Amino acid sequence: MAIRRILIANRGEIALRVIRTCKALGIETVLAASEADLDSLPARMASRTVCIGPGHPSMSYLKVETIVQAALGVKAGAIHPGYGFLSERPALARVCEQEGVIFIGPTAAQIEAVGDKLRARAEAEAAGVPTAPGGAVDTINEAMVLGREIGPPLLIKAVGGGGGRGMKRVDRLEDLPAAMELAAAEAGAAFGDTRVYLERFVTHGRHVEVQILGDGRGRVVHLGERDCSVQRRYQKLIEETPAPGLSSEFRRRIHHAAVHLAERLSYRSAGTVEFLVDMDRSAFYFLEVNARIQVEHPVTESVTGVDIVAEQIAIAQGDGLPLQQKDIQPEGHAIECRINAEDPARDFHPTPGTVRGAEWPSGEGVRVDTHIISGARIPPFYDSLMAKIIVHGSDRAVALERMRGALAATRIEGVSSNLAFHRTVLADPEFQGGGVDTSYLPRFLEKRRILQEARAHG
Amino acid sequence: MSLTAKDVAEILRLLESSSFDTLSLEMNGVKLNLRRGSAVAVRESAPPAQAPQSAAEAPQPVPPSRKSTPPSEAGLKDIASPLLGIFYRAPKPGEPPFVEVGATVEQDTVIGIIEVMKLMNSVRAGVAGQIAEILAQNGALVEYGETIMRVRPSA
C-alpha cells in the first residue's frame, strides 16, 4: 500500500532529512512538533505542522498516544520516528500495529528483542556472531566465578542499557562484588531492570558498525561499515567509511556477521549492528543492534548512493527490498563531523541559544544536513546537534582535505560550538594516520589540557 | 446585481445552520464578511483589485501557524487546548453541547472533551465569563495550544 502522507515524530536535522526524501518521492509530510519547534526550519518545510505539546520531550515527543492520535487525526498512513525519542520504544511500534498505522521501522517484537541486551547477545550467539567473553550473572558468586574465568579488566553492563549507558568498568576482581551491587541498583533506577551481565573490557577497541537493510521476510543486505571510534563518553563525534586499516577479509567477515544476525531476526527496515574491534587480538565482538536510522547514516549514503530513508519507506509500504547485494558497490571514502552547540572549553557543556549567523559549506563532495539557519533557536530541551558536515572523496586523503576546506568555510555566530575543536582533531597526525581506537579522543583532550596548562604557566 | 438586506439576512440564516464559523463573499465590488456567534456582519467595499505581488513572486515555505482567527472584539480571553486530540463539544454524540455561545462559565466549567487514543480529557474554561466564540469544530483535531473558544471575562 503506497504511503501518501507521513507523520514525522521527530525534530531537528533528522526531521528535515526525512522531509527531503518525502518531497523527492511526492509524499506529504506532517511534522509533529513541540511548542519550542514551531518556528524551526523543518516546521516551515513540512507540508503541515501540528503542535503536539510543550517543549519538554516528556510532554511532547515522548508521548506515544499523542503521536499516534496526531497521525490518525491528520490521516497520515505512516509514522517516521527518526532517531532517539520514541524510535526504539516498542510501545510506539505496537500501538501503530494495533491502529493500522505503518511504523517506518522494525516490528515491535524486533525492537523488544534487541532492546534487551542479553537477549540480543543470545541471538547473536545463535547466529554464530562472536560476542565478547562473558554472560549473564544472577549472583555475586556467579559473577566472581565468571570474572575469574574471563580475567580483568571487566565491564558490568545493564541488560536494559545500551549506547554507553549503564556500564561500569572493574579493574580488580576484589572490586567486583561492590561494583555489581552498585551497578544493579543503578540499572534498576535508570531502566527499571536490575539485571546486569559481565563482559571482558577490551582495552584497545574500535567501534565499527555495519549498516543493514532487511525486508522483514528474511532477506538482508549490508551497506558496508562505519568506523565511529572518535567518541567522548560514548558520544560519537567523527564517523567514517570504510573503516581505515581493516583488511578486506576482516571487513567481509564483520559484514557477514551483521547480515547473519539480521537474517535470523527476519529484521525489517534499516538497522545497525555495532561491533567492538579488538585490535590486540585482531577479533571483533557483537555489541548491540540499533533498531532505527542512525545519525551517521549519510557517510554510508555518500559512498553507496543509496537513500536509506527512501529504502525504509519502500520496505514499510511493502515494496520489499529491490536492492541486491551485488548492486551495492561503495566508492571512495566519506567522513562526517558532528557540529554541536557545546563548549569544549567548559567540558563540552551544551550551549543553547539563538544562532545569530550560520554559513554552511558547499561544493564538490560536500553535504550538510542541518536545520540551523541564521536566527534559528536552539531550545534547551533537546540534544545539541546543529549540523552534520559530510564529505566524500576518491580516497581518505581527498576526503580529509575536503573536510578541512568545509570546516574552514563554516561560520557559526551567537552560540559556542565544537567547530574549532573539529579543526584541531583533523590537524592531529594520529587521527590523520587513521584507525584510532575509542581511547583516542580522551587521550587527545588530556594531551591538549596539559599543553594548555604548560603554556599558561610558561 | 448587488446584495440586498434580504439577501444578507438569508445568507446569515444559511451560515447559522451550517457547520462553518466564518464566511467571506465577494461579488460586484462588494465584500461580505460574516462570523458566526459574533452577530457582526461587516459590509465594506472591496479595495482595488491587486495581486499579492511579493508573496507570489518568491514561493516561501509556509510559515507554521496555529490556526487562529482574530478575535471579534477586544478583551476576549482565549481558551487554549491543553492537549492535541479530537475535540468534542458534547459529553456524548446526540447530547446537547456543554456550552453554546452566550453561555455563562466559571473557571472550572467543563466546555468540551479532548480524546487522545480513546482517553477522554475534560477541558475547563479556566476563566469566568461568557462564551463569545466557539472556534474548534466538533470531532476535529485540535493541536496543543490551539484556541478552541473565546470568553468575554466577567468584570
Side-chain angles (χ1 to χ4, degrees):
Chain A
M1 189 184 60
I3 297 170
R4 291 210 167 127
R5 186 178 297 154
I6 291 176
L7 182 100
I8 300 171
N10 215 300
R11 61 177 305 281
E13 67 87 19
I14 194 65
L16 203 56
R17 165 73 192 84
V18 175
I19 291 169
R20 188 161 59 77
T21 287
C22 288
K23 282 205 159 140
L25 296 173
I27 297 172
E28 282 179 29
T29 49
V30 180
L31 185 75
S34 82
E35 201 173 26
D37 285 326
L38 287 179
D39 293 326
S40 66
L41 189 56
R44 291 180 211 186
M45 298 308 288
S47 319
R48 181 182 168 187
T49 296
V50 290
C51 185
I52 52 169
H56 198 280
S58 65
M59 298 170 85
S60 48
Y61 295 110
L62 290 173
K63 287 177 84 173
V64 173
E65 268 70 30
T66 298
I67 296 291
V68 179
Q69 181 66 70
L72 294 172
V74 301
K75 298 185 168 57
I79 293 177
H80 196 299
Y83 51 66
F85 295 130
L86 294 174
S87 60
E88 291 177 281
R89 300 276 179 95
L92 178 61
R94 185 162 305 114
V95 177
C96 282
E97 285 164 14
Q98 285 159 1
E99 297 296 325
V101 177
I102 296 171
F103 178 77
I104 303 177
T107 64
Q110 288 166 350
I111 296 174
E112 219 155 44
V114 300
D116 179 319
K117 300 303 164 193
L118 257 185
R119 238 174 105 187
R121 197 183 136 96
E123 293 286 354
E125 280 170 354
V129 175
T131 54
V137 281
D138 290 328
T139 63
I140 304 280
N141 267 347
E142 280 179 36
M144 287 305 284
V145 171
L146 188 60
R148 223 169 277 131
E149 193 185 310
I150 304 166
L154 299 164
L155 209 51
I156 306 172
K157 293 184 169 184
V159 173
R165 303 190 316 136
M167 307 213 297
K168 241 178 194 30
R169 181 182 165 163
V170 180
D171 288 321
R172 301 180 312 170
L173 271 179
E174 55 263 43
D175 297 336
L176 187 56
M180 278 282 295
E181 268 178 51
L182 187 61
E186 283 179 4
F191 314 111
D193 183 349
T194 57
R195 292 178 300 153
V196 295
Y197 62 108
L198 217 54
E199 269 185 7
R200 169 190 287 156
F201 179 81
V202 176
T203 315
H204 295 291
R206 281 168 63 182
H207 177 116
V208 176
E209 58 186 32
V210 180
Q211 175 72 56
I212 54 110
L213 288 170
D215 67 357
R217 295 185 282 254
R219 205 166 74 75
V220 174
V221 297
H222 72 81
L223 303 182
E225 82 285 0
R226 294 183 286 258
D227 189 324
C228 316
S229 301
V230 181
Q231 40 179 271
R232 185 188 150 271
R233 293 184 191 163
Y234 299 99
Q235 294 299 308
K236 298 166 183 169
L237 203 67
I238 302 175
E239 301 98 342
E240 60 185 306
T241 185
L246 296 187
S247 72
S248 53
E249 163 62 17
F250 191 94
R251 291 176 57 225
R252 199 186 55 78
R253 281 196 333 201
I254 207 166
H255 296 158
H256 281 185
V259 168
H260 283 154
L261 174 54
E263 280 172 348
R264 183 183 157 77
L265 298 168
S266 284
Y267 189 84
R268 185 183 75 190
S269 194
T272 299
V273 187
E274 294 190 343
F275 296 97
L276 188 65
V277 172
D278 186 339
M279 298 308 287
D280 296 339
R281 293 179 173 84
S282 181
F284 63 84
Y285 307 117
F286 168 78
L287 277 180
E288 61 186 70
V289 176
N290 296 135
R292 52 168 157 84
I293 192 157
Q294 279 191 285
V295 176
E296 59 270 27
H297 76 277
V299 291
T300 301
E301 292 186 328
S302 295
V303 298
T304 60
V306 175
D307 179 335
I308 294 173
V309 174
E311 295 300 323
Q312 283 188 302
I313 294 170
I315 293 163
Q317 65 186 11
D319 295 349
L321 191 57
L323 282 173
Q324 302 288 325
Q325 192 62 58
K326 63 173 167 42
D327 301 333
I328 299 155
Q329 300 290 343
E331 271 176 35
H333 198 99
I335 306 174
E336 171 181 281
C337 287
R338 296 191 191 189
I339 309 299
N340 298 330
E342 60 187 19
D343 187 356
R346 289 193 303 133
D347 199 30
F348 295 86
H349 249 68
T351 53
T354 299
V355 180
R356 271 206 320 277
E359 281 173 43
W360 301 111
S362 58
E364 198 190 339
V366 178
R367 164 178 168 180
V368 180
D369 280 20
T370 184
H371 61 296
I372 299 295
I373 50 174
S374 296
R377 276 198 300 270
I378 300 171
F381 313 108
Y382 316 112
D383 71 39
S384 58
L385 183 64
M386 278 199 284
K388 306 182 306 203
I389 299 179
I390 305 107
V391 296
H392 183 211
S394 52
D395 59 24
R396 191 167 187 266
V398 174
L400 278 173
E401 194 49 46
R402 287 208 167 132
M403 185 59 90
R404 272 190 286 273
L407 292 178
T410 304
R411 299 269 179 284
I412 301 160
E413 285 159 32
V415 296
S416 296
S417 82
N418 60 358
L419 180 62
F421 181 70
H422 272 291
R423 292 185 188 131
T424 63
V425 174
L426 251 75
D428 183 54
E430 194 178 343
F431 176 74
Q432 285 175 1
V436 296
D437 65 36
T438 52
S439 70
Y440 163 72
L441 203 58
R443 275 191 289 114
F444 176 82
L445 284 164
E446 184 59 16
K447 196 169 69 185
R448 224 168 60 118
R449 193 181 61 80
I450 292 166
L451 276 175
Q452 278 166 349
E453 270 178 19
R455 224 172 283 145
H457 294 302
Chain B
M1 183 200 136
S2 78
L3 287 171
T4 63
K6 205 175 146 222
D7 291 331
V8 174
E10 178 67 15
I11 292 166
L12 272 172
R13 251 193 311 280
L14 286 171
L15 176 65
E16 205 55 50
S17 59
S18 78
S19 61
F20 296 100
D21 283 336
T22 59
L23 180 143
S24 298
L25 184 69
E26 205 169 343
M27 55 188 288
N28 302 334
V30 172
K31 204 159 133 190
L32 186 68
N33 289 317
L34 298 173
R35 183 175 294 114
R36 208 169 133 98
S38 60
V40 178
V42 187
R43 198 172 173 174
E44 59 182 44
S45 11
Q50 205 175 35
Q53 286 169 345
S54 54
E57 272 164 19
Q60 293 281 315
V62 187
S65 60
R66 288 186 217 172
K67 289 166 280 174
S68 68
T69 44
S72 55
E73 56 187 275
L76 296 188
K77 290 260 187 276
D78 291 352
I79 302 177
S81 172
L83 293 163
L84 175 143
I86 308 297
F87 178 70
Y88 294 107
R89 287 191 53 197
K92 282 193 186 105
E95 288 186 12
F98 289 104
V99 290
E100 293 282 8
V101 169
T104 303
V105 293
E106 297 301 323
Q107 282 206 3
D108 59 357
T109 304
V110 174
I111 54 111
I113 287 174
I114 293 177
E115 180 198 342
V116 185
M117 300 304 288
K118 295 172 189 77
L119 198 75
M120 301 298 174
N121 306 272
S122 302
V123 185
R124 291 170 199 281
V127 55
Q130 213 176 27
I131 299 291
E133 297 175 20
I134 298 176
L135 302 170
Q137 302 287 317
N138 187 55
L141 180 77
V142 292
E143 300 175 25
Y144 169 76
E146 184 176 334
T147 304
I148 48 183
M149 293 187 192
R150 289 196 177 106
V151 177
R152 193 177 300 117
S154 40

